[in-house]
Amino acid sequence: MPEGKILVVDDEQRQREIYRDILQSEGYEAETATSGEAALKMLAQNRFDLVITDLNMAGMTGLQLLSEIVVDDPTIAVMMITGYPSIKSAVEATRKGVYQYLEKPVDRDTLLSVVDEVFQRLATLRRTIIGDSPATKAMMRMILKVAPSAHTVLILGESGTGKELVAREIHQHSPRRDRPFLAVNCAALTETLLESELFGHEKGSFTDAHQMKRGVFERAHQSTLFLDEIGDTSLGMQAKILRVLQEREFFRVGGTEPLKTDVRIISATNRNLEQRVKEGKFREDLYYRLNVIPIICPPLRERGDDIEILAHHFMRKAALVAGRRVEGISAEALAALRAYAWPGNIRQLEWAMERAVVLGETDGVELPDLPPEILQATSAAPPPAGIAAAIGTAPAPPIASGPEPIITEGSWEEHEKAKIMEALQRSGGNITRAAQLLGMTFRTLQYRLEKFGIKRP
Ligand SMILES: Nc1ncnc2c1ncn2[C@@H]1O[C@H](COP(=O)(O)OP(=O)(O)OP(=O)(O)O)[C@@H](O)[C@H]1O
Ligand SMILES: [Mg+2]
């Protein structure tokens, strides 16, 4: 049976029922919504993988719905079907990240083949944990072990090691998987905005509170809430979060009714929380509440052969997105990838491969296609240690004794910032497009813009 849940949105009853029936007859799980507004409500309650929407509808249009979905959960694919196709709406839909734009009438075979293709693409592009090094396997085992319970999990690891991916994976393997996973980046918002994002607010509770708003503690009821960059919260906010964890209830800002919530909390940070507790910057009681089960995301340099597996995976993914044929990675390029220290970890590798695919001129990834920081580090590296290394009997030298990485953690941030600025320039300030160029989700890019304080040109 095909995997994947589909939501069909059309204000015409006959249309939506036809599509739903075709999809169901092929074994897809399909439901219908009568408007964009109704669709958003359903998406807030249930996990869907694909939304098929009409373009012209009373109330919210298909394009408006698309924008909302892309911002809310970029892992959901959207297909648009219209009886009134125009270049303008097709271009706009494409810019906003639509997967397919089809003209009515759509017959059974077309619908099924397009849906099948969308699911195949999703399977390749969907972020799943890849790698089978002992370090990655141990991490996977932990994920599978903790997923079934509602225990609080703290994910620790350097920048770009897959902390968010791990959080999503735990949710996917948990009994809560049918409800949407919600994430908040605690470092990306001001104190006031974070408070209202977490707890919501009552109408009129502050100047801009024109309407009541539900916070994520409320919306993630019976689901999973991911508190990203928790190490960056203020002591005041920590006290407020601690209260929810202890009482399992909270107040909206300006509210007087206590609200109950059954939410599973997963938090993550790349900071050393124990150190911050010692320095008085992080509450010890909250640390213990969050750290019920710690999961550590190992840095890429400790994942052995995963580098090769991941490099090939990212190469294929980038080739698919760029519509290019790329067959493989040369031995020299692979050796350089292995020798490098990866301060930006898996995200940095992903970008390196995207860059190589986009800039490369042959049908494979060659050494010169790699980014300069990797080439410099390679040329600075000492030659392999004699014959023992060549026949593979010598153990790999420990990282600490190798050459210093040319890019340090700090300068990688600068590098990342520069890449984001460049992508924004190229996209003319369009975040969706820039995110595509960077191979990031819209959300991630938004987080990073806020984190680095970058203003759109
Ligand atoms: N094991 C993996 N297999 C495939 N892709 C991965 C893996 N780990 C991470 N990635 C990819 O690497 C990128 C970075 O991962 P993610 O955003 O989860 O890291 P992070 O630890 O949250 O980073 P940061 O500290 O910068 O927030 C993402 O595009 C993610 O899909
Ligand atoms: Mg992250």
Side-chain angles (χ1 to χ4, degrees), residues 340-344 348 373 404-416:
Y340 187 61
W342 300 107
Q348 192 186 3
E373 64 273 14
E404 278 296 301
I406 303 260
I407 287 211
T408 60
E409 180 93 40
S411 70
W412 161 247
E413 276 212 352
E414 286 305 308
H415 186 72
E416 198 175 3

Side-chain angles (χ1 to χ4, degrees), residues 29-298:
E29 230 183 297
E31 289 183 35
T32 59
T34 56
S35 66
E37 289 86 350
L40 286 179
K41 284 215 180 85
M42 292 177 72
L43 287 163
Q45 295 295 320
N46 293 287
R47 166 80 211 174
F48 287 92
D49 302 285
L50 169 64
V51 174
I52 302 179
T53 178
D54 187 23
L55 175 61
N56 297 305
M57 294 184 285
M60 179 181 277
T61 66
L63 284 171
Q64 286 165 336
L65 175 61
L66 170 65
S67 309
E68 294 282 332
I69 294 174
V70 169
V71 174
D72 255 22
D73 185 344
T75 63
I76 301 174
V78 179
M79 253 170 80
M80 204 160 289
I81 301 187
T82 177
Y84 307 92
S86 74
I87 303 267
K88 189 164 168 275
S89 61
V91 167
E92 192 176 345
T94 310
R95 272 221 331 256
K96 285 189 167 142
V98 80
Y99 262 71
Q100 277 289 344
Y101 180 93
L102 297 175
E103 211 178 306
K104 279 182 192 173
V106 176
D107 61 35
R108 182 191 165 87
D109 287 348
T110 311
L111 181 70
L112 289 175
S113 79
V114 169
V115 166
D116 183 53
E117 195 202 304
V118 169
F119 278 114
Q120 283 188 19
R121 270 174 70 100
L122 271 184
T124 316
L125 297 179
R126 182 153 288 163
R127 299 164 300 163
T128 45
I129 294 173
I130 290 180
D132 61 7
S133 66
T136 303
K137 276 190 184 146
M139 188 179 83
M140 281 303 294
R141 267 199 303 279
M142 269 310 271
I143 292 172
L144 295 176
K145 205 158 132 190
V146 305
S149 73
H151 289 318
T152 304
V153 177
L154 176 64
I155 306 173
L156 300 164
E158 290 175 18
S159 175
T161 46
K163 296 184 292 297
E164 183 172 348
L165 195 59
V166 167
R168 289 182 184 275
E169 198 75 9
I170 294 173
H171 176 73
Q172 274 313 312
H173 286 94
S174 83
R176 297 171 178 242
R177 73 177 72 91
D178 291 329
R179 308 263 303 163
F181 170 93
L182 292 185
V184 176
N185 186 320
C186 300
L189 301 171
T190 63
E191 192 81 359
T192 322
L193 282 178
L194 178 60
E195 187 174 8
S196 127
E197 182 70 19
L198 292 175
F199 305 100
H201 60 243
E202 295 295 343
K203 185 175 172 177
S205 56
F206 52 90
T207 328
D208 290 329
H210 302 303
Q211 268 184 355
M212 184 275 279
K213 178 183 160 181
R214 283 179 227 284
V216 283
F217 277 116
E218 199 171 338
R219 291 193 281 130
H221 180 59
Q222 296 179 337
S223 186
T224 307
L225 173 60
F226 179 49
L227 299 176
D228 202 0
E229 319 250 19
I230 187 83
D232 294 40
T233 48
S234 71
L235 286 166
M237 193 60 67
Q238 291 167 26
K240 289 175 185 154
I241 294 171
L242 177 68
R243 204 173 316 131
V244 190
L245 292 184
Q246 285 172 337
E247 316 287 335
R248 296 283 151 187
E249 62 178 39
F250 64 95
F251 295 87
R252 292 190 196 126
V253 175
T256 48
E257 280 286 305
L259 299 168
K260 290 223 170 298
T261 179
D262 159 25
V263 45
R264 182 197 203 158
I265 306 276
I266 302 182
S267 52
T269 181
N270 53 18
R271 294 193 182 258
N272 181 339
L273 276 192
E274 263 173 51
Q275 183 64 31
R276 283 181 86 76
V277 168
K278 281 199 199 108
E279 290 166 357
K281 290 183 184 142
F282 203 86
R283 290 184 66 117
E284 187 168 23
D285 44 9
L286 179 58
Y287 174 61
Y288 286 116
R289 282 271 170 185
L290 294 174
N291 194 23
V292 177
I293 301 169
I295 294 188
I296 295 172
C297 288

Side-chain angles (χ1 to χ4, degrees), residues 300-313:
L300 184 54
R301 60 184 172 275
E302 286 171 17
R303 298 195 194 197
D305 292 342
D306 285 2
I307 293 189
E308 217 165 288
I309 301 173
L310 283 163
H312 281 98
H313 167 72

Side-chain angles (χ1 to χ4, degrees), residues 345-391:
N345 290 293
I346 302 167
R347 177 177 297 109
Q348 192 186 3
L349 175 60
E350 187 168 1
W351 284 10
M353 297 316 290
E354 272 163 14
R355 182 182 179 281
V357 165
V358 173
L359 301 182
E361 282 168 1
T362 60
D363 60 0
V365 171
E366 314 283 343
L367 189 61
D369 301 334
L370 298 180
E373 64 273 14
I374 295 175
L375 296 179
Q376 281 163 29
T378 309
S379 58
I387 230 134
I391 57 172

